[in-house]
């Protein structure tokens, strides 16, 4: 966990400066951008599609009338595409990511799917959102928050840009809560995932970071407290697949 006063954080298992972390994270996603989607399928055995379906279904965008949605750390667009399909014609959906390479892949995919008109791609930092206060009806962030150096700052920004009555939803890896499964999951994460990375993307290191960063991420109950501290109310979380991932939610009231 980090606070605005702290100067260091974690990059995987290494201690790094807060400002250094973002550069290291960006290197990881520059390296993997073109292989990112195929790697997700391979590493999760396709499970990420199911988790994203469950997650995006919680947004319930308006079918009629205006609806403004912000998907932060939106990468290659997986969450935004699901929301765009469910939303009505007046919906405005922004995919925001710090990494231009990930957004380029997202733009290409949006075009292939005929969704370009519904989506806007914005390159920016989750810690400093280029939008006015009380602008969006909903905010999502999937597999993104653990990469952000100052999580509290990103949560405060989420709260700021949401309208009163707006919903915050976060999908992130979590801690496996089933004895036995935790050991299998750990062995798989530390051995199989970097090996697949090396084989398919030619480099296992970015995937070692991903696995280490999952281990360092706060426990589900602790992360819920962080969301409350950012000002959200009626917060809660739901574990999927024995706790491999969790969906946290909250409302700006
Ligand atoms: C694991 S990917 C998730 C992409 C997508 N949400 C998904 O579920 O497939 C993490 C994304 O977070 C982005 N990211 C990392 N730090 C960020 C920051 N400070 N602000 C915005 N995006 C960031 C990365 O560039 C990357 O695209």
């Amino acid at each position: 966990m980090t606070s605005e006063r702290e100067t260091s954080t974690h990059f995987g298992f290494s201690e790094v400066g807060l400002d250094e972390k973002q550069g290291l994270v960006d290197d990881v996603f520059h390296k993997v951008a073109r292989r990112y989607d195929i790697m997700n399928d391979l590493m999760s055995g396709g499970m990420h599609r199911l988790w994203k379906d469950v997650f995006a279904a919680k947004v319930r965008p308006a079918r009629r009338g205006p609806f403004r949605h912000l998907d932060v750390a939106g990468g290659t667009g997986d969450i935004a595409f699901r929301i765009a399909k469910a939303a009505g014609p007046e919906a405005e959906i922004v995919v925001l990511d710090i990494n231009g390479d990930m957004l380029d892949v997202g733009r290409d995919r949006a075009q292939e799917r005929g969704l370009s008109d519904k989506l806007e791609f914005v390159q920016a930092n989750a810690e400093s959102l280029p939008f006015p206060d009380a602008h969006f009806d909903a905010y999502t962030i999937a597999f993104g928050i653990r990469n952000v150096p100052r999580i509290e700052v990103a949560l405060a920004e989420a709260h700021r840009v949401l309208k009163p009555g707006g919903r915050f939803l976060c999908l992130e890896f979590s801690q496996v809560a089933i004895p036995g499964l935790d050991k299998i999951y750990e062995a798989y994460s530390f051995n199989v995932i970097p090996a697949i990375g090396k084989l398919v993307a030619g480099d296992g290191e970015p995937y070692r970071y991903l696995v280490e960063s999952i281990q360092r991420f706060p426990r589900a109950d602790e992360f819920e407290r962080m969301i409350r501290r950012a000002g959200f109310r009626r917060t809660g979380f739901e574990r999927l697949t024995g706790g491999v991932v969790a969906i946290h939610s909250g409302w700006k009231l």
Side-chain angles (χ1 to χ4, degrees):
M1 204 196 309
T2 60
S3 81
E4 275 178 277
R5 270 167 285 119
E6 282 174 298
T7 54
S8 72
T9 185
H10 298 107
F11 177 75
F13 287 161
S14 314
E15 184 91 3
V16 295
L18 269 177
D19 296 323
E20 199 186 346
K21 169 163 171 162
Q22 189 68 66
L24 293 165
V25 167
D26 294 349
D27 286 347
V28 167
F29 290 102
H30 285 307
K31 274 190 200 152
V32 305
R34 291 276 153 196
R35 304 274 171 136
Y36 177 76
D37 296 303
I38 175 99
M39 281 301 294
N40 275 348
D41 277 333
L42 291 172
M43 289 185 312
S44 73
M47 285 299 289
H48 77 110
R49 292 171 185 253
L50 187 76
W51 297 327
K52 286 170 177 170
D53 286 345
V54 172
F55 179 65
K58 290 187 184 291
V59 174
R60 290 193 211 94
R63 304 270 327 152
R64 284 159 190 242
F67 181 82
R68 277 208 201 113
H69 185 88
L70 176 62
D71 183 43
V72 172
T76 60
D78 268 0
I79 302 301
F81 298 158
R82 284 166 169 80
I83 293 165
K85 280 189 192 137
E90 288 180 58
E92 290 169 39
I93 299 165
V94 177
V95 183
L96 178 141
D97 201 286
I98 202 163
N99 195 311
D101 291 343
M102 294 290 279
L103 290 174
D104 285 346
V105 176
R107 271 190 210 94
D108 292 349
R109 294 175 80 212
Q111 203 153 24
E112 284 161 19
R113 287 168 168 71
L115 290 171
S116 297
D117 294 351
K118 276 191 164 181
L119 302 174
E120 188 188 347
F121 290 83
V122 173
Q123 187 172 2
N125 192 333
E127 295 179 5
S128 174
L129 298 173
F131 307 107
D133 296 357
H135 192 67
F136 291 98
D137 296 289
Y139 172 114
T140 47
I141 182 162
F143 303 118
I145 197 104
R146 72 172 192 285
N147 296 298
V148 175
R150 299 166 185 85
I151 293 175
E152 287 89 344
V153 178
L155 292 174
E157 277 292 86
H159 192 265
R160 182 185 67 75
V161 299
L162 277 170
K163 296 176 186 172
R167 186 141 197 225
F168 167 86
L169 284 161
C170 175
L171 172 64
E172 191 48 271
F173 288 104
S174 195
Q175 289 78 29
V176 173
I178 298 174
L181 182 63
D182 52 351
K183 293 277 168 276
I184 297 169
Y185 177 61
E186 195 175 311
Y188 176 79
S189 304
F190 280 99
N191 300 304
V192 182
I193 289 180
I196 298 176
K198 197 161 174 17
L199 207 67
V200 179
D203 190 355
E205 271 321 296
Y207 294 95
R208 199 168 303 284
Y209 156 69
L210 293 179
V211 173
E212 290 176 4
S213 68
I214 292 166
Q215 297 259 326
R216 297 238 58 132
F217 192 67
R219 292 177 50 86
D221 52 350
E222 194 184 329
F223 183 49
E224 184 186 352
R225 282 195 289 279
M226 291 170 76
I227 294 167
R228 285 191 71 78
R229 279 201 291 276
F232 290 103
R233 294 296 170 257
R234 289 170 56 202
T235 58
F237 63 84
E238 180 186 333
R239 292 187 170 101
L240 305 182
T241 319
V244 172
V245 299
I247 295 174
H248 281 76
S249 64
W251 296 85
K252 177 170 173 176
L253 296 179

